[in-house]
């Protein structure tokens, strides 16, 4: 492992992912897979009557970077709207590509050492991509 890329905090987050059980009947669900390394993240989401994330379930089968990203997503997802999740996904994608500022999501600065490693970007994006898609699906079924 490369010390700057895989540091103690990334490994700690990878080992402590919240919401590690799938929801039994989610309003929205999405699985994303990295073609580069085979990492896979599934996110299930339920929204409340206001259209905000009320329940999350995840199945994370990913490298340490994908696991750490999943952990950061899960730590701050409650109460977010589908629009906020889509904005976070898009901001993360732009930042990793060098086309935008650091996204406004707690802890993502941890991935600064991964910026020059474009082959690792897909794994970092997986949880955010799956969450945004699952929330968009869930939003279609919410009556406000």
């Amino acid at each position: 492992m490369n010390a700057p890329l895989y540091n103690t905090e990334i490994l700690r987050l990878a080992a402590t992912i919240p919401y590690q059980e799938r929801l039994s009947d989610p309003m929205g669900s999405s699985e994303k897979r990295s073609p580069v390394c085979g990492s896979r993240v599934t996110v299930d989401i339920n929204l409340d009557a206001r259209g905000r994330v009320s329940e999350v379930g995840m199945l994370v089968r990913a490298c340490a970077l994908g696991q750490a990203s999943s952990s950061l997503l899960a730590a701050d997802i409650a109460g977010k709207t589908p629009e906020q999740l889509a904005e976070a996904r898009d901001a993360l994608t732009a930042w990793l590509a060098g086309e935008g500022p650091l996204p406004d999501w707690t802890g993502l600065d941890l991935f600064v050492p991964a910026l020059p490693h474009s082959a690792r970007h897909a794994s970092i994006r997986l949880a955010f991509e799956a969450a945004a898609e699952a929330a968009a699906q869930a939003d279609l079924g919410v009556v406000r």
Side-chain angles (χ1 to χ4, degrees):
M1 290 201 289
N2 183 334
L5 187 55
Y6 295 97
N7 59 48
T8 304
E9 183 62 9
I10 284 177
L11 298 176
R12 183 192 69 75
L13 287 167
T16 58
I17 303 169
Y19 308 116
Q20 274 286 3
E21 283 192 30
R22 303 277 313 269
L23 298 180
S24 60
D25 189 24
M27 296 170 73
S29 185
S30 177
E31 178 183 277
K32 295 297 179 181
R33 183 179 170 280
S34 169
V36 175
C37 66
S39 288
R40 189 176 321 177
V41 175
T42 305
V43 178
D44 300 326
I45 286 183
N46 285 335
L47 302 178
D48 64 18
R50 297 177 310 136
R52 295 184 175 277
V53 174
S54 60
E55 291 182 288
V56 179
M58 297 189 343
L59 177 61
V60 180
R61 300 289 183 254
C63 65
L65 294 173
Q67 291 173 5
S69 182
S70 296
S71 190
L72 291 173
L73 170 86
D76 210 20
I77 195 171
K80 297 282 194 268
T81 65
E83 294 79 16
Q84 288 171 314
L85 293 175
E87 289 168 7
R89 175 204 57 210
D90 295 346
L92 178 60
T93 299
W95 176 65
L96 288 170
E99 299 170 358
L102 178 68
D104 185 24
W105 195 280
T106 304
L108 288 179
D109 58 327
L110 182 65
F111 296 115
V112 168
L115 290 175
H117 303 277
S118 60
R120 300 293 184 211
H121 294 179
S123 294
I124 295 168
R125 292 190 317 259
L126 289 177
F128 285 83
E129 291 173 349
E133 186 171 292
Q137 288 175 11
D139 196 37
L140 294 176
V142 173
V143 178
R144 286 180 225 145

